Every structure is written in structure tokens, then in C-alpha cells.
């Protein structure tokens, strides 16, 4: 009798497992039925991912553009080039104020006439060159290479206007 009981229990367990598997497969099929997993689509998406550029090149003097994902009619997010908004001198100075606001490593402060006079004596063009190329502990463009040379010159003028 125990042999027949074992076979009956085994049939029930096997039936439950097969039924559960079929149910899970049916549910999965319903959930992903509208997705396109055709071989060609998957290959195309993989190729597009592999050949997508990882960065952009910006030349000095150009306005920087950023890639912003924008949804099209089909809902695909494709990168679109968007022109960068020009920053005000006050916004650019905020990056410079990290050192020039506190006088870090003898950086001349905004409005500190005594700190600017020896530098100004060398000429404004030399101040521009030092700000753009770096000098002493100050890295080129104050470490903000995303600023253009013109942005840096405008900011130097802004700082000089505070002592004139």
C-alpha cells in the first residue's frame, strides 16, 4: 500500500509543478507580449549602443552644446544638441570666488585694491593670460575648462571693476 500512496503523492507534486510552470509562462507571455524582441531589433539596438559616441569635442571659443534626451512621437529618447545658455559674469565669478572670495593662497579678493595693484601694474593683457593659462597655484581658467576665454576675460574685467 505504501508504494501506491507514494506514486499518488508523486503524481500530485508533479502535477502541481507542471501546472505552476505553465501558469508562470502564460503570465510572462502576457506581460511582455507588446515588446518587440525579434532578432533583428535586438541586433540593431546592440549595434546602436556600441557605436554611440561617448563624448563631444569642443574647440576654444565655441559655445558649448549639450546632448539632451528628447522624446519623439514614438516615445524614444534620442539625444538632441541644445545650445548652452550663456552664463552671466556673476555666475562665472561664483566659481572663481572659491579662491578669490577668501584670498586662498594669496589670490586677490574682489574689491581688494591693494591685492590687485601689483598685478594690474603688469597690464590687463597679462592678467587675462594668467587667468586663462593659470599661474602659480591657480590652474588654467581656475580649473573650469568649460568656460571660454571670453568668459574668463569678462570675469577678470568684473573683478577689476571692483577696485577701479
Amino acid at each position: 500500500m505504501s508504494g501506491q500512496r507514494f506514486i499518488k503523492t508523486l503524481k500530485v507534486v508533479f502535477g502541481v509543478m507542471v501546472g505552476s510552470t505553465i501558469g508562470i509562462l502564460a503570465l510572462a507571455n502576457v506581460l511582455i507580449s507588446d515588446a518587440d524582441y525579434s532578432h533583428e531589433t535586438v541586433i540593431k539596438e546592440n549595434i546602436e549602443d556600441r557605436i554611440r559616441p561617448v563624448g563631444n569635442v569642443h574647440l576654444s571659443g565655441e559655445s558649448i552644446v549639450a546632448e539632451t534626451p528628447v522624446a519623439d512621437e514614438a516615445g524614444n529618447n534620442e539625444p538632441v544638441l541644445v545650445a548652452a545658455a550663456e552664463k552671466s559674469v556673476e555666475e562665472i565669478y561664483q566659481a572663481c570666488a572659491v579662491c578669490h572670495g577668501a584670498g586662498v593662497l594669496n589670490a586677490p579678493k574682489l574689491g581688494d585694491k591693494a591685492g590687485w595693484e601689483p598685478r594690474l601694474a603688469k597690464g590687463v593683457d597679462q592678467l587675462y593670460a594668467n587667468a586663462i593659462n593659470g599661474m602659480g597655484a591657480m590652474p588654467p581658467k581656475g580649473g573650469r575648462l568649460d568656460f571660454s576665454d571670453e568668459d574668463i576675460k569678462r570675469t577678470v574685467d568684473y573683478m577689476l571693476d571692483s577696485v577701479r
Side-chain angles (χ1 to χ4, degrees):
M1 281 282 225
S2 67
Q4 288 180 343
R5 189 170 183 192
F6 173 76
I7 291 176
K8 185 177 182 182
T9 304
L10 184 62
K11 286 181 182 180
V12 169
V13 169
F14 185 70
V16 168
M17 287 175 42
V18 169
S20 298
T21 302
I22 291 172
I24 290 171
L25 289 174
L27 179 64
N29 190 33
V30 168
L31 293 176
I32 64 169
S33 63
D34 58 337
D36 184 10
Y37 289 107
S38 67
H39 185 67
E40 294 81 20
T41 303
V42 172
I43 289 175
K44 181 180 176 188
E45 288 174 358
N46 287 340
I47 291 172
E48 287 173 357
D49 285 343
R50 284 193 302 263
I51 64 173
R52 182 172 290 123
V54 294
N56 297 314
V57 174
H58 302 286
L59 301 176
S60 178
E62 286 185 344
S63 61
I64 297 176
V65 292
E67 285 193 2
T68 305
V70 176
D72 61 8
E73 308 84 41
N76 299 324
N77 283 340
E78 292 296 324
V80 175
L81 294 179
V82 178
E86 184 156 332
K87 293 185 181 293
S88 70
V89 175
E90 291 82 10
E91 289 175 312
I92 297 169
Y93 173 73
Q94 291 307 311
C96 302
V98 172
C99 294
H100 286 277
V104 174
L105 295 173
N106 203 26
K109 297 180 189 177
L110 186 69
D112 179 18
K113 192 169 187 168
W116 282 101
E117 280 181 351
R119 292 167 174 88
L120 194 52
K122 296 177 184 176
V124 177
D125 289 334
Q126 185 61 46
L127 282 173
Y128 291 153
N130 291 344
I132 291 169
N133 301 318
M135 178 182 180
M138 185 179 88
K141 297 181 180 181
R144 290 294 305 268
L145 298 179
D146 56 319
F147 293 151
S148 70
D149 290 356
E150 288 304 313
D151 289 338
I152 299 299
K153 288 178 182 179
R154 288 187 356 220
T155 307
V156 168
D157 290 338
Y158 173 77
M159 289 191 270
L160 290 176
D161 287 344
S162 73
V163 295
R164 289 184 180 161

